[in-house]
Amino acid sequence: MEALQQLFPELSRGEIGVHGLIFIGNIVLFLLAKPILTLIDRTSVTESKVRLFRSVNVIVFGLHMLGLLLIRANIQYQSYFINIGYSIMAIYGMMLFYNLLGAQSKKRFGKERTLDGKPVYMETYSSRMVNLVLMVILILTTIYILILIWNAQNLFAGIYGILAAFLAFTSSIWAPDIISGLIILNTEILEDGDVVIIDGHPNEYVIGRVTLIYVVLYDIRNNHRTLMRNSQFTERRIDNLSRVTSSSGVRKGLLYKIGYPAFTGSKEERLAALADFKKSVGDMFEAANKNCVDDEDIMINPAKPFDWAMTNAGDYALEYTLWIYLERIPNTKITSTIRKHLMGTIYKVNEAVYEASIAENIDLSTPDVLSILPVGKAEDSAASGSKPQLIA
């Protein structure tokens, strides 16, 4: 202490002690940045976040050293650099404190859920409201601390007035996203890890994270990360495949086109041939169902057999719709697992139906068949304005 007093005679013992505590605290925060962030919230620790917090420590340390060197050189502007360092530390402390309180509020007011085999805490309406209140209190407190650091007490009322005006004029930008985020959490229909289909977007997505302003989505088919504002997310129809209305699972309809069979003979013979054809179609789907149930890689509900019906008698083919029930989608954010569950199952069911069609001698291709007219009749048809028709 005596050596520091001789090195910086302009500073009192108390001021030297404060500077020493700041130096020690800054070094401790730099070394323990990752353990502190892990203690706050283990699931949200990333290397970029650790580097960000350590960069703040380095900047503050550099500014503080520069300020002390200027004090030693008797230059008047040394306090500005020290105040900048104090200001950064105040903002740093606010961010750290908010993350700590936010993690605790999520555990206290959030919802526990098992995701990828690990228990995690999800945001709820109550936890998000607590976080909003904490954010407002910490922001106002930080602004007051900054005013004290810069000795700007006379500007106290003016700064808060400017802040209130700024929030009022920009509310149309950020308020809809915050309200939409609260709506998402309050309904408890959409949560992290849910598989959703958004109207206007062909691909399926996994909800990665819902924040105050935006929602992070994982594209299952392409492994992309998608960022969407909460207001844009909620203004569309959202189908949640992870929240089914019954225990049967997600119901999917697969369309198959079967060419018209040629029936000849008497009425009784044609009806008998039709019954054989319908039986062959039923046998095809039943055989496909049995093969899918026996295959462990096909994620269908074994308690719900396939349903099928002829849903359209088209111009070129009979259209049969096969309805299958998928097993409940697992609670995971791993896109490959969900892709295997959804797309992989549908592809394998298609393959099983094709194999069964070969066994039942049913052709799933529907080539166009032209009605060929003799030359004379074709000229008469052209003269009358009619055209040869395509028949199945």
Side-chain angles (χ1 to χ4, degrees), residues 106-150:
K106 186 188 293 187
K107 293 180 180 179
R108 175 65 178 83
F109 301 101
K111 182 179 180 180
E112 186 176 1
R113 183 181 179 186
T114 302
L115 198 61
D116 293 327
K118 300 178 181 178
V120 295
Y121 292 94
M122 302 294 183
E123 292 279 9
T124 62
Y125 181 80
S126 300
S127 65
R128 187 54 56 80
M129 286 299 296
V130 171
N131 289 343
L132 277 175
V133 174
L134 290 174
M135 178 181 291
V136 172
I137 294 175
L138 290 176
I139 288 176
L140 295 178
T141 304
T142 304
I143 292 175
Y144 182 70
I145 293 173
L146 293 176
I147 290 173
L148 295 179
I149 291 174
W150 292 94

Side-chain angles (χ1 to χ4, degrees), residues 46-289:
T46 60
E47 290 298 326
S48 59
K49 184 178 288 188
V50 174
R51 286 196 298 268
L52 174 62
F53 276 84
R54 285 179 173 172
S55 299
V56 172
N57 293 127
V58 172
I59 293 173
V60 172
F61 185 83
L63 290 172
H64 211 144
M65 287 294 296
L66 181 60
L68 291 177
L69 291 176
L70 292 178
I71 291 176
R72 177 65 178 169
N74 292 322
I75 298 177
Q76 293 181 344
Y77 300 102
Q78 74 278 2
S79 60
Y80 290 103
F81 293 98
I82 295 178
N83 287 344
I84 292 174
Y86 289 162
S87 301
I88 295 176
M89 285 300 295
I91 298 173
Y92 175 92
M94 186 270 289
M95 294 170 56
L96 202 62
F97 200 51
Y98 174 74
N99 286 331
L100 175 61
L101 295 179
Q104 296 301 319
S105 69
K106 186 188 293 187
K107 293 180 180 179
R108 175 65 178 83
F109 301 101
K111 182 179 180 180
E112 186 176 1
R113 183 181 179 186
T114 302
L115 198 61
D116 293 327
K118 300 178 181 178
V120 295
Y121 292 94
M122 302 294 183
E123 292 279 9
T124 62
Y125 181 80
S126 300
S127 65
R128 187 54 56 80
M129 286 299 296
V130 171
N131 289 343
L132 277 175
V133 174
L134 290 174
M135 178 181 291
V136 172
I137 294 175
L138 290 176
I139 288 176
L140 295 178
T141 304
T142 304
I143 292 175
Y144 182 70
I145 293 173
L146 293 176
I147 290 173
L148 295 179
I149 291 174
W150 292 94
N151 293 322
Q153 288 85 344
N154 295 332
L155 300 177
F156 182 82
I159 290 177
Y160 274 91
I162 294 173
L163 179 62
F166 173 79
L167 295 177
F169 283 114
T170 60
S171 60
S172 61
I173 299 175
W174 51 264
D177 295 318
I178 293 179
I179 295 173
S180 298
L182 293 175
I183 291 174
I184 294 172
L185 296 172
N186 187 41
T187 56
E188 296 185 355
I189 296 178
L190 301 170
E191 294 181 351
D192 292 3
D194 287 351
V195 178
V196 297
I197 298 176
I198 306 172
D199 187 28
H201 298 267
N203 293 351
E204 298 83 357
Y205 297 92
V206 182
I207 299 179
R209 185 185 179 192
V210 180
T211 68
L212 279 175
I213 305 298
Y214 59 86
V215 57
V216 178
L217 303 171
Y218 302 154
D219 192 322
I220 296 174
R221 294 179 182 265
N222 301 320
N223 282 347
H224 295 167
R225 286 176 182 258
T226 302
L227 186 69
M228 184 177 293
R229 293 177 57 178
N230 288 338
S231 57
Q232 296 175 337
F233 185 61
T234 55
E235 71 183 5
R236 302 174 181 270
R237 192 191 75 184
I238 304 171
D239 297 328
N240 191 341
L241 303 184
S242 298
R243 304 294 183 92
V244 292
T245 56
S246 70
S247 58
S248 299
V250 178
R251 188 171 185 256
K252 289 283 187 179
L254 307 179
L255 182 64
Y256 297 95
K257 296 182 179 181
I258 302 175
Y260 281 90
F263 298 135
T264 58
S266 64
K267 178 180 179 181
E268 290 75 12
E269 291 174 341
R270 292 196 303 272
L271 291 176
L274 175 61
D276 291 338
F277 170 75
K278 294 170 65 176
K279 183 177 184 302
S280 297
V281 173
D283 291 342
M284 176 184 69
F285 289 134
E286 288 178 357
N289 187 13

